[in-house]
Amino acid sequence: MLQLSFVGQMIGSLGLGALIVMGYGLVLRHFSGKWYEDYASAVVLACGALAAMTNPIVLESGYIFDARAVFIALAGPFAGPGGAVLVAACTVLPRIMIGGDGVTAGVTGIIIAAGAGIIFNWLFPNKRTPAGFLLLGCLAALMVLSLFMLEFRTALALMESIGFTLTLVNILGIVLLGSALEATKRSADYLRDVEFNAERDPLTGLYNRRALGQFEGSLGQSVSPDKLHGCVVLFDIDRFKSVNDRFGHARGDEVLQRVAATVTSRMRRSDFVVRFGGEEIAVVLLSTSVDDAYRIAEHIRALVEKLVFTHEGETFTVTVSAGIAAFTVGETKLEEAFDYADRALYRAKNAGRNRTETLSVPVSQAAPVRANA
């Protein structure tokens, strides 16, 4: 009867897994960056362990058994070593406060479960499969040895009564919950990839025209008052067709990638860089005057001019031309600013290429800008 009662309560505790999976999914969707994701995941798993501790089987003299080990062991692969330590600390303290004759064994079991997760993550970082979680469950099952922190006869009696059941339920819980968490992570990663590829150019990694449309739609809603004025800079690689014709499309792709990297290397996080056309790269500079945009464009132009490319022992260089136009959110449509930047770029091409030109949007539609010949 004790074993059946134990199984029932453990399964009830593992039902928390559904909430933990939901919480983990929220973490993956709303936290970016390895450090933030790991520690947010640790908090979710710690909550699961603490919740499991609220539904224990309590034997006489303070021997407490619950499903906490499942959540603690999974902290290693899903929250990293630091997250596993955090989850262990969050469960050790309440166990000490509960007290009883089994406190030493309980704390030892928590440390063994956390250590199992850390060792598993270290030895098998890419083995988050049902078979891998079965191995993790077997490692975490060593926590049952913590019973021998008790008086020997007591430990033997507990091992005979619930040792096998405790081990089996913990292994099963780790396999099931670990598999569910991994499925959630893979789904979140897939969704991130889909969202990223939907708005990125696959060759250069820059934003595409679709993302530009979304950016324009959000300008008036998310931009602070000090960023309402900005500039559009439109870069075009000079004589790009001749590069493809002479050196092949593979070298043309390399040129595009390195020019794109050069442009983005000089941008702020608030700036928006997009592959506007075949060999055209556009930059939306917020809170930037025309004079500042001109200096930025000239600096990038000079950097591109210094790039050296090699093909079958032959070296070559490329240049870019740039056109600049200013815009004011709410007064000048970004589309119109792009049109004037394109006209300025056309002037730069006609003036001999490898230069930067600006063109003023009419005063009635935007703040006056200085034209540079």
Side-chain angles (χ1 to χ4, degrees):
M1 288 298 295
L2 176 62
Q3 290 184 341
L4 289 177
S5 176
F6 182 78
V7 170
Q9 283 191 261
M10 291 286 281
I11 291 176
S13 295
L14 291 176
L16 292 166
L19 294 176
I20 298 306
V21 169
M22 292 174 61
Y24 183 63
L26 289 173
V27 166
L28 296 179
R29 284 194 293 272
H30 296 289
F31 287 85
S32 58
K34 177 67 174 170
W35 191 91
Y36 291 106
E37 183 179 307
D38 279 356
Y39 283 95
S41 300
V43 170
V44 171
L45 289 167
C47 289
L50 292 172
M53 293 176 70
T54 65
N55 185 36
I57 287 182
V58 182
L59 303 182
E60 58 181 302
S61 301
Y63 302 131
I64 298 172
F65 299 94
D66 51 56
R68 79 187 86 135
V70 173
F71 304 95
I72 297 170
L74 288 171
F78 289 102
V85 171
L86 176 61
V87 174
C90 289
T91 48
V92 162
L93 293 177
R95 183 62 191 92
I96 292 175
M97 294 175 65
I98 292 171
D101 292 344
V103 64
T104 302
V107 170
T108 302
I110 290 171
I111 294 173
I112 292 174
I118 293 172
I119 292 172
F120 175 83
N121 188 56
W122 176 48
L123 294 178
F124 311 104
N126 300 314
K127 199 174 178 62
R128 292 192 291 196
T129 61
F133 291 124
L134 178 61
L135 175 60
L136 173 59
C138 292
L139 288 174
L142 294 175
M143 69 171 293
V144 75
L145 298 178
S146 65
L147 291 175
F148 288 97
M149 299 295 293
L150 305 172
E151 192 270 329
F152 187 72
R153 291 183 180 179
T154 302
L156 281 180
L158 290 173
M159 284 286 288
E160 290 177 2
S161 60
I162 62 171
F164 176 76
T165 306
L166 174 66
T167 300
L168 184 62
V169 172
N170 279 332
I171 291 175
L172 182 62
I174 288 172
V175 172
L176 293 177
L177 183 56
S179 298
L181 290 172
E182 179 61 16
T184 300
K185 180 170 177 55
R186 290 187 179 184
S187 296
D189 289 344
Y190 176 76
L191 182 59
R192 285 176 181 171
D193 289 342
V194 169
E195 291 175 345
F196 181 87
N197 292 329
E199 58 183 21
R200 296 280 182 168
D201 171 58
L203 177 63
T204 63
L206 302 179
Y207 285 109
N208 57 25
R209 295 286 287 269
R210 179 177 180 271
L212 177 62
Q214 295 176 342
F215 174 78
E216 182 177 9
S218 66
L219 266 181
Q221 303 172 6
S222 60
V223 177
S224 57
D226 64 321
K227 294 183 179 179
L228 291 176
H229 300 281
C231 290
V232 170
V233 184
L234 190 57
F235 295 97
D236 184 270
I237 301 174
D238 297 325
R239 296 186 174 89
F240 184 69
K241 184 177 183 302
S242 66
V243 173
N244 282 329
D245 292 343
R246 184 177 177 184
F247 302 106
H249 288 280
R251 294 287 76 75
D253 288 348
E254 181 188 352
V255 168
L256 265 170
Q257 289 171 332
R258 291 184 62 186
V259 170
T262 302
V263 173
T264 54
S265 69
R266 310 310 302 172
M267 295 297 117
R268 305 162 300 183
R269 295 187 64 178
S270 61
D271 300 327
F272 189 87
V273 187
V274 56
R275 185 177 178 185
F276 194 67
E279 64 269 24
E280 291 183 332
I281 297 172
V283 181
V284 181
L285 302 168
L286 297 176
S287 189
T288 303
S289 67
V290 173
D291 289 342
D292 288 339
Y294 182 85
R295 282 190 287 270
I296 293 170
E298 279 291 282
H299 181 55
I300 291 173
R301 185 190 61 76
L303 290 176
V304 171
E305 197 173 15
K306 295 177 182 178
L307 296 177
V308 178
F309 302 88
T310 303
H311 177 70
E312 295 181 351
E314 183 179 356
T315 61
F316 66 96
T317 60
V318 298
T319 60
V320 294
S321 300
I324 301 173
F327 70 94
T328 302
V329 176
E331 296 180 16
T332 309
K333 290 184 178 180
L334 194 58
E335 180 182 358
E336 190 166 10
F338 269 93
D339 179 55
Y340 277 89
D342 188 54
R343 297 184 198 183
L345 175 62
Y346 186 76
R347 281 175 48 178
K349 293 285 189 180
N350 285 341
R353 298 182 176 85
N354 193 25
R355 59 186 293 126
T356 302
E357 294 285 345
T358 65
L359 190 61
S360 299
V361 179
V363 176
S364 60
Q365 299 175 44
V369 294
R370 178 177 64 82
N372 293 278

